[in-house]
Amino acid sequence: IWSEPSMVERAAEDFSQTEVFLTVAESLVGPYVWTRYDILCLPPSFPYGGTENPCLTFVSPTLLTGDKSLADVIAHEIAHSWTGNLVTNSTWEHFWLNEGWTMWLERKIEGDTSPYGEQTFLLSSQIGWNLLRSEVNTMGSTNKWTSLVWPLEGEDPDIAYSRVPYEKGFNLLYRLEKLLGSKFFESFARVYVDTFKFKCVTSGEFKDLLVSTCACDEMKATLLATVDWNKEFFATGLPECPDLSNTLGKAVEDVSRTWLSGALSGGDVLATVSAQDIEGWSVKQLCMFLDILLEAEDVFPLHLLDALNSLYSFNNSNNAEIKYRWCLLCIDSEADWIIPVVEDMLSTQGRMRFIRPLYRALRASSIGAQLSIDIFTSNYDIYHPIARKMVQIDLDKADKEDIM
């Protein structure tokens, strides 16, 4: 682990499962070829959660929580050692091959290292589907950047970047796994890596390899022939959603349903909830809970936000994934008391996954429209140039939409 002295011990503790993740990945897709694997924890302005490089992964200090709860990003970057670094998309149009395969492998690692096994795999996949649905809703279902294979035609890939290649890519791979069987598809993942290692690959080459691998099994070849590849690669919007039901997610849905019913009916939800409702929940479950509340069509009432915070202490969370979701929920409800928390989050780190949605939400609100400009201006110099560019595009787009 490499980092500033003030963070190195925390990073070493939070990322202590690295060797276990590597071992599981090797069992799935073959030997790790890069000799050593180090992690560099960068300053807070680093605009990504993690960036894969052979031998040395770059990560954001927003992953440091003290409880290893965001170590899935390390699993993701480790997975890139095979799908991204060893096998690389030939052009940015085929970026999903890097990220979709890496999400698939990351979730396999998570499932194999969790006491809940496949339930953890499915919970993470369910959260991913929710993120994909939210992203497509924000971008628009006919937006060309919601297709799996991007029609870049010379445009800047940074403009196209979103969670779509990650989650829509994973969605296709997981549906293929369910169609052809997990044992077969896991063996195909190794064939894919062995065939294209140290090479670049296109979506068509991925498809051709899968078709040829299935050709010797008449039943699998027949099943694969039902896949509409043109639709999978080039259709915009949401794909088909596979069955992702799991016991961990159901517990979250049950509690969130109680809160949402109170928000809709105006009933006394406080008489039926308690802090014990979420006792023992993982960070993923807490994130899913907040995602469900965020997706609700109606604004969440302020008195229930106060109750949520009193019971679950979201304002005091030191977990960036929880905090940014909580901030978004409060901004959507025009809760002005969240502004200091939002400003602190925007002023102390520059990870685009967090700052871009927060700036967009602030700009669209009545409590933070002008504040979004003020905070961005005052923190401009601390952000990475890519983050500056993308936030500026978001704010300019919001201004144009206001005019229209």
Side-chain angles (χ1 to χ4, degrees):
I1 304 291
W2 302 87
S3 184
E4 299 173 56
S6 61
M7 291 192 292
V8 70
E9 293 300 328
R10 293 168 58 205
E13 175 61 25
D14 266 294
F15 306 149
S16 62
Q17 296 165 286
T18 298
E19 186 67 35
V20 175
F21 293 161
L22 276 165
T23 300
V24 172
E26 285 187 307
S27 73
L28 289 164
V29 284
Y32 178 78
V33 303
W34 305 107
T35 309
R36 67 181 291 159
Y37 182 85
D38 286 0
I39 298 170
L40 173 63
C41 189
L42 285 160
S45 59
F46 184 56
Y48 303 105
T51 301
E52 68 278 12
N53 305 288
C55 307
L56 183 65
T57 283
F58 292 176
V59 297
S60 163
T62 61
L63 305 182
L64 303 181
T65 60
D67 59 7
K68 309 178 187 179
S69 58
L70 299 184
D72 57 339
V73 175
I74 299 300
H76 183 92
E77 302 309 332
I78 283 172
H80 269 310
S81 301
W82 288 266
T83 51
N85 294 340
L86 190 57
V87 179
T88 308
N89 53 268
S90 62
T91 65
W92 285 112
E93 282 86 352
H94 306 282
F95 181 54
W96 79 270
L97 287 168
N98 273 27
E99 297 301 346
W101 269 113
T102 298
M103 291 305 304
W104 180 85
L105 184 52
E106 172 199 329
R107 286 171 177 151
K108 290 290 181 180
I109 294 170
E110 284 185 278
D112 282 1
T113 56
S114 164
Y116 299 103
E118 187 182 13
Q119 295 299 304
T120 295
F121 174 94
L122 290 169
L123 174 67
S124 180
S125 304
Q126 188 176 11
I127 292 170
W129 170 260
N130 292 342
L131 287 173
L132 176 61
R133 183 173 57 198
S134 175
E135 194 88 308
V136 170
N137 286 342
T138 298
M139 297 170 71
S141 62
T142 60
N143 188 308
K144 64 182 180 179
W145 305 132
T146 64
S147 63
L148 199 57
V149 178
W150 287 339
L152 280 173
E153 300 174 349
E155 294 185 79
D156 186 348
D158 281 341
I159 304 300
Y161 182 84
S162 71
R163 294 302 299 178
V164 171
Y166 296 74
E167 298 301 345
K168 198 168 184 177
F170 167 81
N171 175 281
L172 173 58
L173 295 174
Y174 183 62
R175 283 189 287 115
L176 290 171
E177 177 183 348
K178 300 305 288 184
L179 178 69
L180 302 171
S182 290
K183 185 176 180 181
F184 170 84
F185 197 77
E186 287 183 1
S187 69
F188 171 72
R190 189 179 285 245
V191 170
Y192 171 77
V193 170
D194 286 343
T195 301
F196 295 115
K197 62 186 177 184
F198 301 114
K199 297 176 183 177
C200 294
V201 61
T202 66
S203 301
E205 289 169 328
F206 154 76
K207 180 199 77 172
D208 291 345
L209 180 63
L210 182 57
V211 169
S212 64
T213 305
C214 288
C216 58
D217 186 318
E218 184 178 352
M219 182 178 293
K220 286 184 170 43
T222 301
L223 289 169
L224 191 61
T226 65
V227 176
D228 183 343
W229 290 104
N230 191 63
K231 179 181 178 182
E232 296 293 353
F233 288 159
F234 303 112
T236 60
L238 285 172
E240 174 190 341
C241 181
D243 180 16
L244 300 173
S245 55
N246 62 91
T247 56
L248 300 174
K250 184 179 183 305
V252 176
E253 290 168 341
D254 290 344
V255 175
S256 60
R257 194 176 298 115
T258 300
W259 283 95
L260 287 174
S261 65
L264 290 171
S265 67
D268 187 13
V269 66
L270 301 182
T272 60
V273 295
S274 72
Q276 283 67 48
D277 292 335
I278 65 168
E279 191 172 333
W281 278 14
S282 67
V283 166
K284 284 189 181 297
Q285 287 174 293
L286 291 170
C287 288
M288 181 180 172
F289 173 69
L290 290 170
D291 285 340
I292 291 173
L293 300 188
L294 276 164
E295 286 191 355
E297 292 184 5
D298 295 302
V299 172
F300 209 71
L302 291 178
H303 75 282
L304 289 186
L305 283 179
D306 283 328
L308 273 171
N309 192 46
S310 296
L311 282 174
Y312 307 147
S313 301
F314 287 134
N315 259 13
N316 299 324
S317 176
N318 69 344
N319 187 295
E321 290 286 348
I322 292 173
K323 182 178 284 188
Y324 113 93
R325 286 170 166 87
W326 173 242
C327 287
L328 285 177
L329 183 63
C330 292
I331 294 169
D332 286 352
S333 297
E334 304 284 356
D336 57 6
W337 44 261
I338 199 63
I339 291 298
V341 180
V342 175
E343 186 166 6
D344 178 72
M345 192 165 196
L346 291 172
S347 303
T348 55
Q349 55 83 39
R351 186 175 168 188
M352 288 191 292
R353 171 170 166 75
F354 302 140
I355 66 172
R356 290 187 66 192
L358 286 172
Y359 274 117
R360 287 196 296 261
L362 273 181
R363 190 64 180 152
S365 72
S366 61
I367 60 170
Q370 180 57 45
L371 196 59
S372 65
I373 304 299
D374 296 340
I375 296 174
F376 180 57
T377 302
S378 63
N379 290 288
Y380 184 87
D381 289 337
I382 75 166
Y383 294 142
H384 187 280
I386 294 175
R388 291 177 199 161
K389 177 179 75 173
M390 298 313 298
V391 172
Q392 187 67 66
I393 288 171
D394 290 340
L395 294 176
D396 289 347
K397 182 181 177 183
D399 288 343
K400 289 177 182 176
E401 288 174 351
D402 285 345
I403 293 170
M404 296 171 66

